[in-house]
């Protein structure tokens, strides 16, 4: 078994020595550290773009060869692909969308085409060495189609996906022309992870509405497996930041920095150049603070580190100009011969300098307009070690959910930023330390190792859960076994559900008429004296009698409340009609306030159908209806059941399970076959002996032994059996 990480970039730096020869070194990001520390005896591989434009085949071979020692597998991309897939669809379409920058979203067909193509390239690169049993963990928004591509191309692997940026609300996500493809792409994974439960909730709602899926909180049944969604807030390598400051070299840097900048209170901000980071708002907040609190002039400075990023994308170049201008204006306006309000660094800092900077800063000002998590906030807290310091943090960063002892601000509100700076400057040291320690305790425990191992562990659990669930698909081999068993048996029982099994669902129940083909198959099966053929349905007896009254079948209506044996109908259950007025009124009220839903009144069952109602809305109404029914139904000793897009109220005395029990009676059948698509059919399956062939249509079932994926596969299957009839 191998663990294969797939991300846009490989954690590698390619540089050139004096003779222009390539040199390779691993670059240590949070993810690499987290994975390296995985407490698992597992071989780790990494697939990704090596970060350099490698043109000739000879150079590519050279790179492949040199990366082998790290178990890195490069995907080579052309400059055009980088422009359209990376800078284009990833960073000019998905990135602004996920960060709520609606008007920044660019739609270009070539971006999308390239995105698909590059996801395919990553898929191919991984397939070259993926083997059954492997665990694949796909990282981030550049590869949202990959989970599904991998699932289609190979079986018996576990696929995880982690989304490092926010997932927007459905109302925003729906604007994307490729929304279906992206969601389907992600749902190819067994486990989809987000930093917070908010993003997870947005994803679930988008998938339910766009793909018409129904989640049970964190999980959704997809054909032959369950896909799970969960929140895994990413942590940092806490010990690294906490301990680095004790190293002599870092201490020296810190003392130099302290001399240069520490004469004033120092506020620090560190970001990649990005409009989502709220840099302009932050600068305005700081300027307003100076303006409104002249007593702090010459006493507080802001050190702003901005790491160049994506400067080939137009928006980023514009932002850079705006930042330069704003800082210029602030410094121009407020600087004195003794004081520079804003120190501005537009380049990356070596790690040691960054940690030293974190350590000496009195305040970290982290105010993104949107941020998936924000690791800078956590790194600052760790690097403070035991020195006081205050974190001002945006409510819009994922980190705000965990870091509740920070001063939380709305980053759009300049005055809130101003007030937070004042509060931070004036916060007593004791209070600073109290808050710091609470947050340090949390982030030291929830570190990046725990994040990575938590995700992989969960992925493994899901694999086991899904394996336990998997009913066997009926293929030619199983069909042969069933047929042979059939031939060798003398007393056979068939229990067949009707809607969703023998016929597909129709908008109007009266339209789901049996086809001549179905009637022919049933007639043929029933023609053998060895066979007892039962249609076990929730339908009222009028329908079953109208459609099957002329065939020699056993019919069970309304889950067995009435049944027909040898041509005679029996009442298993005394009629409940007329229905209690209070209950009927509750149902009627829900029909009135839920367009497209309807009530079916049967002799022993009341059914509220909501197949045609919007998913989210019907979940709401379903829950409200069940809540409203609980008291009156318990007074009347009636049972409330949730089915496939229905809510039923019925007598608790009969179910398809009790009907199956009645059918089995004292008979010693040597061949039993039951087919159904609903949870009510699982009641049938449960009552049957282990030797019975229980077949679930559609989604997987914990109880059925076999599975037929689509209703359309049922008649061909029964037809093949009926051809054996003796
Ligand atoms: C994305 C999501 C999510 C920054 N400047 C320097 C430097 N850095 C390092 C920091 C930190 C990293 O870069 C930035 O991480 P963030 O989390 O703050 O932000 P993004 O780059 O936007 O990351 C984000 C993250 O993915 C993880 O899931 O938290 O929300 O947008 O580690 O230390 N490192 C050095 N010099 C610098 O000047 N050495």
């Amino acid at each position: 078994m191998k663990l294969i990480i797939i991300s846009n970039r490989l954690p590698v730096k390619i540089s050139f020595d004096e003779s222009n020869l390539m040199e390779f070194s691993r670059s240590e990001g949070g993810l690499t550290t987290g994975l390296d520390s995985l407490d698992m005896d597992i071989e780790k591989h990494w697939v990704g773009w090596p970060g350099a434009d490698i043109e000739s085949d000879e150079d590519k071979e050279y790179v492949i060869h040199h990366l082998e020692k790290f178990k890195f597998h490069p995907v080579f991309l052309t400059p055009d692909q980088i422009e359209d897939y990376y800078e284009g669809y990833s960073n000019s379409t998905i990135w602004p969308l996920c960060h709520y920058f609606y008007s920044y979203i660019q739609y270009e067909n070539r971006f999308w085409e390239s995105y698909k193509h590059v996801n395919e390239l990553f898929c191919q690169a991984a397939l070259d060495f993926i083997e059954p049993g492997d665990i694949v963990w796909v990282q981030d928004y550049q590869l949202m189609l990959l989970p599904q591509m991998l699932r289609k191309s190979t079986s018996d692997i576990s696929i995880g996906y982690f989304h490092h940026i926010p997932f927007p609300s459905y109302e925003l996500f729906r604007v994307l022309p490729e929304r279906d493809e992206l969601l389907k792409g992600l749902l190819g994974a067994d486990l989809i992870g987000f930093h917070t439960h908010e993003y997870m909730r947005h994803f679930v709602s988008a998938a339910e509405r766009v793909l018409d899926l129904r989640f049970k909180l964190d999980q959704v049944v997809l054909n032959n497996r369950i896909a799970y969604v969960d929140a895994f807030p990413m942590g940092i390598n806490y010990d690294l930041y906490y301990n680095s400051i004790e190293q002599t070299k870092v201490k020296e840097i810190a003392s130099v920095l302290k001399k240069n900048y520490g004469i004033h209170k120092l506020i620090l901000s560190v970001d990649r150049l990005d409009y989502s980071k709220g840099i302009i708002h932050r600068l305005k907040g700081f300027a307003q603070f100076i303006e409104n609190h002249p007593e702090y002039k010459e006493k507080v400075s802001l050190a702003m580190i901005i790491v160049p990023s994506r400067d080939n994308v137009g928006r980023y170049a514009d932002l850079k100009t705006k930042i330069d201008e704003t800082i210029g204006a602030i410094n121009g306006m407020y600087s004195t011969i003794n004081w520079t309000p804003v120190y501005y660094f537009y380049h990356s800092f070596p790690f040691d300098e960054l940690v030293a900077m974190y350590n000496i800063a009195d305040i970290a000002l982290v105010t993104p307009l949107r941020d998936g998590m924000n690791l800078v906030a956590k790194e600052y807290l760790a690097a403070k070690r035991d020195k006081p310091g205050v974190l001002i943090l945006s409510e819009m960063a994922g980190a705000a959910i965990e870091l509740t002892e920070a001063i939380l601000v709305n980053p759009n509100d300049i005055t809130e930023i101003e007030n937070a700076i004042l509060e931070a400057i004036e916060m007593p040291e004791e209070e600073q330390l109290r808050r710091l320690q609470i947050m340090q305790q949390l982030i030291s425990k929830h570190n990046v190792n725990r994040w990575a191992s938590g995700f992989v562990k969960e992925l493994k659990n899901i694999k086991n859960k899904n394996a336990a669930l998997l009913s066997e698909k009926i293929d030619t081999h199983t069909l042969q076994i069933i047929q042979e068993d059939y031939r060798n048996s003398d007393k056979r029982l068939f229990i067949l559900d009707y809607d969703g099994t023998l016929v597909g669902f129709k908008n109007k129940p009266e339209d789901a008429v049996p086809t001549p083909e179905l009637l022919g198959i049933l007639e043929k099966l029933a023609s053998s004296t060895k066979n007892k053929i039962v249609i076990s349905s929730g339908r009222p007896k009028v329908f079953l009698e109208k459609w099957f009254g002329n065939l020699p079948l056993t019919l069970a209506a309304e889950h067995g409340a009435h049944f027909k044996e040898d041509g005679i109908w029996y009442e298993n259950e005394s009629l409940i009609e007329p229905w209690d007025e209070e209950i009927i009124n509750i149902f009627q009220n829900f029909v009135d306030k839920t367009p497209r839903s309807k009530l079916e009144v049967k002799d022993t069952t009341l059914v509220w159908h909501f197949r045609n109602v919007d998913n989210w809305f019907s979940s709401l109404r379903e829950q409200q209806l069940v809540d409203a029914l609980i008291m009156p139904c318990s007074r009347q000793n009636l049972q409330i059941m949730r089915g496939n897009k229905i809510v039923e109220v019925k007598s608790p005395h009969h179910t398809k399970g009790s009907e199956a029990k009645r059918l089995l009676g004292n008979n010693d059948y040597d061949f039993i076959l039951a087919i159904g698509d609903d949870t009510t059919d699982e009641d049938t399956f449960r009552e049957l002996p282990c030797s019975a062939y229980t077949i679930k249509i559609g989604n997987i079932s914990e109880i059925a032994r076999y599975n037929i994926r689509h209703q359309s596969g049922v008649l061909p299957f029964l037809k093949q059996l009926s051809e054996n009839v003796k």
Side-chain angles (χ1 to χ4, degrees):
M1 193 212 302
K2 304 191 286 297
L3 171 65
I4 299 155
I5 309 295
I6 312 183
S7 64
N8 172 59
R9 268 298 301 271
L10 280 174
V12 68
K13 273 191 210 131
I14 301 182
S15 47
F16 296 86
D17 69 7
E18 291 125 20
S19 12
N20 215 19
L21 274 178
M22 280 189 248
E23 283 182 339
F24 301 87
S25 59
R26 280 187 68 140
S27 60
E28 298 301 326
L31 187 58
T32 342
T33 327
L35 294 168
D36 279 349
S37 63
L38 271 188
D39 191 15
M40 282 165 64
D41 187 17
I42 190 167
E43 198 177 297
K44 291 167 213 131
H45 290 251
W46 202 308
V47 178
W49 178 53
D53 178 20
I54 317 286
E55 270 182 39
S56 72
D57 287 346
E58 200 186 336
D59 283 351
K60 285 180 184 168
E61 275 310 313
Y62 186 76
V63 172
I64 292 171
H65 173 71
H66 277 82
L67 292 183
E68 246 168 32
K69 63 173 175 286
F70 303 126
K71 299 205 172 60
F72 288 171
H73 307 261
V75 177
F76 297 105
L77 300 178
T78 64
D80 280 352
Q81 284 164 341
I82 286 298
E83 197 180 314
D84 293 341
Y85 140 81
Y86 180 68
E87 288 160 3
Y89 201 77
S90 301
N91 289 333
S92 302
T93 309
I94 305 183
W95 179 275
L97 176 85
C98 287
H99 288 85
Y100 292 79
F101 281 79
Y102 176 74
S103 60
Y104 286 21
I105 303 171
Q106 284 183 39
Y107 303 102
E108 296 276 352
N109 203 33
R110 72 190 157 93
F111 288 178
W112 171 242
E113 289 306 321
S114 178
Y115 186 82
K116 279 193 291 188
H117 180 64
V118 172
N119 272 250
E120 279 290 355
L121 294 179
F122 275 77
C123 183
Q124 280 314 319
L127 287 177
D128 280 350
F129 65 99
I130 283 183
E131 293 165 301
D134 285 349
I135 298 177
V136 182
W137 189 6
V138 179
Q139 305 290 329
D140 226 359
Y141 65 101
Q142 300 91 351
L143 300 172
M144 289 170 86
L145 300 175
L146 188 52
Q148 178 72 355
M149 289 175 174
L150 288 165
R151 172 137 336 257
K152 278 191 180 156
S153 322
T154 177
S155 56
D156 194 29
I157 57 166
S158 287
I159 307 173
Y161 170 88
F162 192 83
H163 197 71
H164 288 260
I165 62 175
F167 197 93
S169 86
Y170 161 70
E171 280 304 327
L172 188 58
F173 191 76
R174 69 191 294 210
V175 305
L176 200 64
E178 299 83 16
R179 60 200 177 179
D180 295 41
E181 289 94 326
L182 291 182
L183 291 169
K184 282 184 191 151
L186 293 186
L187 282 164
D190 298 300
L191 175 61
I192 302 164
F194 297 93
H195 283 303
T196 74
H197 64 272
E198 296 290 355
Y199 309 149
M200 167 185 170
R201 197 167 59 81
H202 290 156
F203 168 76
V204 167
S205 118
E208 287 198 326
R209 298 173 143 248
V210 174
L211 302 179
D212 197 26
L213 293 172
R214 184 60 81 95
F215 277 70
K216 213 165 87 195
L217 289 177
D218 62 340
Q219 46 191 279
V220 62
V221 180
L222 303 166
N223 288 330
N224 61 343
R225 67 195 170 92
I226 298 182
Y228 292 78
V229 185
D230 213 338
F232 299 85
M234 188 172 176
I236 57 163
N237 182 351
Y238 185 82
D239 292 346
L240 177 72
Y241 287 88
Y242 188 79
N243 294 330
S244 290
I245 193 66
E246 286 300 284
Q247 286 174 8
T248 325
K249 192 172 150 215
V250 182
K251 265 189 180 159
E252 278 168 17
I253 301 173
S255 78
V256 174
L257 289 175
K258 188 89 190 148
K259 255 187 231 141
N260 291 347
Y261 304 110
I263 35 170
H264 312 300
K265 280 260 178 205
L266 189 68
I267 305 176
L268 175 67
S269 88
V270 181
D271 314 86
R272 266 187 320 97
L273 176 72
D274 203 291
Y275 46 79
S276 65
K277 302 287 182 185
I279 298 170
I280 300 292
H281 289 70
R282 191 181 312 159
L283 284 167
K284 285 186 179 159
F286 179 68
Q288 194 170 301
F289 167 77
I290 302 173
E291 182 61 35
N292 292 341
H293 300 278
E295 69 277 19
Y296 283 109
K297 278 188 181 161
E298 300 200 337
K299 293 193 178 129
V300 182
S301 291
L302 169 65
M304 187 162 249
I305 301 177
I306 297 180
V307 180
S309 157
R310 307 177 193 168
D311 22 21
N312 289 338
V313 178
R315 289 277 171 203
Y316 289 72
D318 294 348
L319 175 67
K320 164 76 171 47
T321 312
K322 202 149 180 226
I323 293 170
D324 292 354
E325 285 168 3
T326 312
I327 294 178
I330 296 173
N331 281 345
M333 171 85 95
Y334 299 105
S335 290
T336 65
I337 46 168
N338 300 317
W339 177 56
T340 308
V342 183
Y343 300 111
Y344 175 31
F345 309 91
Y346 184 63
H347 56 80
S348 168
F349 273 42
F351 177 78
D352 290 346
E353 284 181 19
L354 181 70
V355 177
M357 204 68 175
Y358 282 147
N359 185 260
I360 66 150
D362 301 286
I363 297 165
L365 187 54
V366 184
T367 57
L369 299 175
R370 291 280 166 182
D371 215 335
M373 169 54 71
N374 195 294
L375 299 178
V376 166
K378 294 184 173 181
E379 291 164 4
Y380 170 72
L381 297 171
K384 282 310 296 181
R385 210 176 156 100
D386 43 17
K387 278 168 71 186
V390 184
L391 171 65
I392 300 174
L393 180 62
S394 160
E395 289 165 1
M396 310 294 168
I401 291 187
E402 296 165 281
L403 305 179
T404 48
E405 300 301 311
I407 300 178
L408 295 177
V409 293
N410 178 343
N412 297 292
D413 187 338
I414 308 292
T415 306
E416 250 191 67
I417 298 178
E418 173 200 337
N419 293 339
I421 295 175
L422 183 66
E423 187 186 340
I425 290 177
E426 297 186 346
M427 189 180 284
E429 280 197 4
E430 261 172 44
E431 175 63 4
Q432 295 186 26
L433 286 168
R434 185 189 71 79
R435 291 176 178 228
L436 197 67
Q437 279 157 10
I438 295 176
M439 293 190 280
Q440 283 180 336
Q441 226 169 38
L442 185 124
I443 60 171
S444 60
K445 211 159 93 193
H446 295 261
N447 58 18
V448 70
N449 310 351
R450 190 166 149 154
W451 170 78
S453 58
F455 189 95
V456 175
K457 218 188 268 168
E458 191 51 39
L459 197 47
K460 284 173 131 188
N461 282 343
I462 290 170
K463 186 176 179 153
N464 294 338
K465 280 196 249 178
N466 271 334
L469 274 180
L470 214 58
S471 345
E472 201 181 310
K473 225 168 103 185
I474 298 191
D475 55 14
T476 337
H477 176 64
T478 25
L479 184 67
Q480 273 169 5
I481 296 176
I482 299 175
Q483 280 175 329
E484 199 176 317
D485 209 4
Y486 179 94
R487 277 193 292 274
N488 295 334
S489 54
D490 294 315
K491 199 167 176 192
R492 311 175 190 122
L493 173 65
F494 285 74
I495 306 179
L496 311 172
D497 165 53
Y498 187 64
D499 292 276
T501 301
L502 296 181
V503 292
F505 284 107
K506 295 282 184 305
N507 275 344
K508 290 193 202 142
E510 55 276 23
D511 290 345
V513 182
T515 57
E517 186 192 10
L518 168 61
L519 293 172
I521 293 170
L522 292 174
E523 195 171 359
K524 189 141 192 222
L525 281 171
S527 69
S528 163
T529 51
K530 294 179 180 176
N531 290 353
K532 181 181 179 80
I533 312 295
V534 184
I535 296 196
S536 179
S537 168
R539 290 250 180 189
K541 67 180 182 187
V542 277
F543 276 108
L544 299 188
E545 182 58 31
K546 185 166 84 184
W547 290 335
F548 303 108
N550 294 333
L551 292 178
L553 306 177
T554 295
L555 303 175
E558 299 194 27
H559 304 121
H562 315 302
F563 62 91
K564 185 184 183 187
E565 285 282 8
D566 304 322
I568 301 168
W569 277 101
Y570 296 88
E571 306 291 322
N572 212 357
E573 175 80 41
S574 53
L575 299 188
I576 296 180
E577 253 205 328
W579 285 92
D580 176 73
E581 206 175 319
E582 185 186 358
I583 296 180
I584 282 279
N585 284 343
I586 293 174
F587 270 106
Q588 200 50 56
N589 180 26
F590 275 80
V591 171
D592 293 343
K593 59 185 194 179
T594 318
R596 300 187 184 189
S597 75
K598 61 175 182 275
L599 176 63
E600 188 186 0
V601 183
K602 307 190 211 177
D603 291 345
T604 63
T605 325
L606 284 174
V607 193
W608 181 62
H609 293 265
F610 56 86
R611 180 163 300 280
N612 300 321
V613 183
D614 169 84
N615 256 341
W616 179 84
F617 188 45
S618 62
S619 311
L620 172 76
R621 289 285 188 252
E622 185 186 3
Q623 190 54 51
Q624 290 172 334
L625 174 61
V626 170
D627 289 347
L629 286 170
I630 287 175
M631 285 315 288
C633 284
S634 63
R635 277 199 296 271
Q636 306 263 337
N637 194 23
L638 292 171
Q639 186 186 26
I640 307 167
M641 277 180 41
R642 293 173 189 235
N644 187 351
K645 312 245 177 186
I646 54 167
V647 173
E648 280 184 281
V649 164
K650 62 190 253 318
S651 149
H653 305 305
H654 58 268
T655 61
K656 284 191 179 178
S658 61
E659 175 60 11
K661 242 186 195 161
R662 185 192 71 78
L663 288 164
L664 289 174
N666 294 325
N667 299 306
D668 47 350
Y669 292 106
D670 54 1
F671 178 95
I672 302 175
L673 186 140
I675 317 185
D677 72 308
D678 202 343
T679 43
T680 56
D681 300 306
E682 293 185 334
D683 290 341
T684 307
F685 302 157
R686 244 180 237 112
E687 293 302 329
L688 300 178
C690 312
S691 56
Y693 294 102
T694 48
I695 305 172
K696 176 87 196 289
I697 310 306
N699 294 334
I700 44 174
S701 145
E702 280 175 71
I703 296 145
R705 282 174 68 196
Y706 296 96
N707 175 275
I708 295 179
R709 284 290 153 75
H710 300 287
Q711 186 275 327
S712 57
V714 176
L715 292 197
F717 167 70
L718 286 176
K719 194 164 180 210
Q720 272 168 304
L721 271 189
S722 72
E723 274 154 14
N724 276 310
V725 162
K726 272 197 291 173

